[in-house]
Amino acid sequence: MFFSQAGAQPRTWEASPSEHKKWVEVFKACDEDNKGYLSREDFKVAVVMLFGYKPSKIEADAVMSSVNPNTSGISLEEFLSIVRKKKEAQLYWNEMRHIFTAFDRHYRGYLTLEDFQKAFKQVAPRLPERIVLEVFREVDQDSDGHVSFKDFEYAMNYGQT
């Protein structure tokens, strides 16, 4: 109920000129033969350079299947779009983690009903106690009395149902 009304969605984000320049430089560095596109392996190297991890086979397959089928790889324009979306998702995840941590005042790695009550008292002091309880029960997926970050993340991402 609550999260379906909240409509938690990542905000669109624009890269700074220096960040955009860095992405173009990484594209050019990974396009060693100046083909004008990145192969699957080139893309993996670019992700390592920009995000510090090697994409899984599933992620690489998803990216490669989403590019223009009339080309041999990922164009600069497609690459910039993919990187922007990855950066947005990363920032959104970081924002969710920050919110969760602000609620978790005792640094336990989970939230209790009391944590929810204190947080909602600060941000929505007139919200009825029964609504706070309803929100907590909605987010506490396994009904163990604790909201893990995974529960919280799920509610923020999929709570629109």
Side-chain angles (χ1 to χ4, degrees):
M1 192 269 326
F2 178 79
F3 284 99
S4 59
Q5 292 172 351
Q9 287 293 322
R11 287 183 239 125
T12 54
W13 171 83
E14 290 299 320
S16 68
S18 64
E19 196 150 28
H20 185 269
K21 181 181 175 191
K22 178 181 174 184
W23 297 350
V24 171
E25 288 171 358
V26 166
F27 179 90
K28 288 178 180 177
C30 292
D31 180 18
E32 292 176 351
D33 302 329
N34 295 320
K35 307 174 295 284
Y37 64 85
L38 298 182
S39 68
R40 171 192 206 85
E41 292 307 311
D42 296 337
F43 171 73
K44 287 180 177 181
V45 171
V47 170
V48 169
M49 290 173 72
L50 290 172
F51 295 97
Y53 77 94
K54 182 180 174 188
S56 68
K57 180 180 180 342
I58 294 169
E59 182 178 355
D61 287 347
V63 167
M64 296 310 289
S65 69
S66 72
V67 299
N68 184 343
N70 299 325
T71 62
S72 300
I74 303 167
S75 70
L76 175 60
E77 185 179 309
E78 290 170 322
F79 177 74
L80 294 174
S81 176
I82 290 164
V83 170
R84 182 184 54 76
K85 289 175 186 170
K86 287 183 74 54
K87 187 69 175 180
E88 281 178 0
Q90 185 181 52
L91 291 171
Y92 181 63
W93 186 90
N94 289 343
E95 189 175 348
M96 279 193 297
R97 178 52 93 173
H98 182 75
I99 292 167
F100 180 85
T101 302
F103 278 31
D104 183 14
R105 295 174 176 218
H106 302 288
Y107 305 105
R108 296 175 294 218
Y110 62 86
L111 306 175
T112 63
L113 176 57
E114 182 183 345
D115 295 327
F116 262 64
Q117 290 166 331
K118 287 180 180 176
F120 278 97
K121 277 269 189 276
Q122 288 185 331
V123 297
R126 294 194 176 119
L127 193 65
E129 194 69 28
R130 65 178 177 71
I131 299 295
V132 176
L133 179 59
E134 190 176 323
V135 170
F136 183 80
R137 286 181 177 157
E138 180 181 330
V139 178
D140 181 15
Q141 293 197 329
D142 57 5
S143 301
D144 66 352
H146 298 127
V147 172
S148 66
F149 179 69
K150 185 177 175 184
D151 292 337
F152 187 79
E153 181 181 29
Y154 184 85
M156 295 296 286
N157 286 326
Y158 306 106
Q160 290 88 17
T161 58

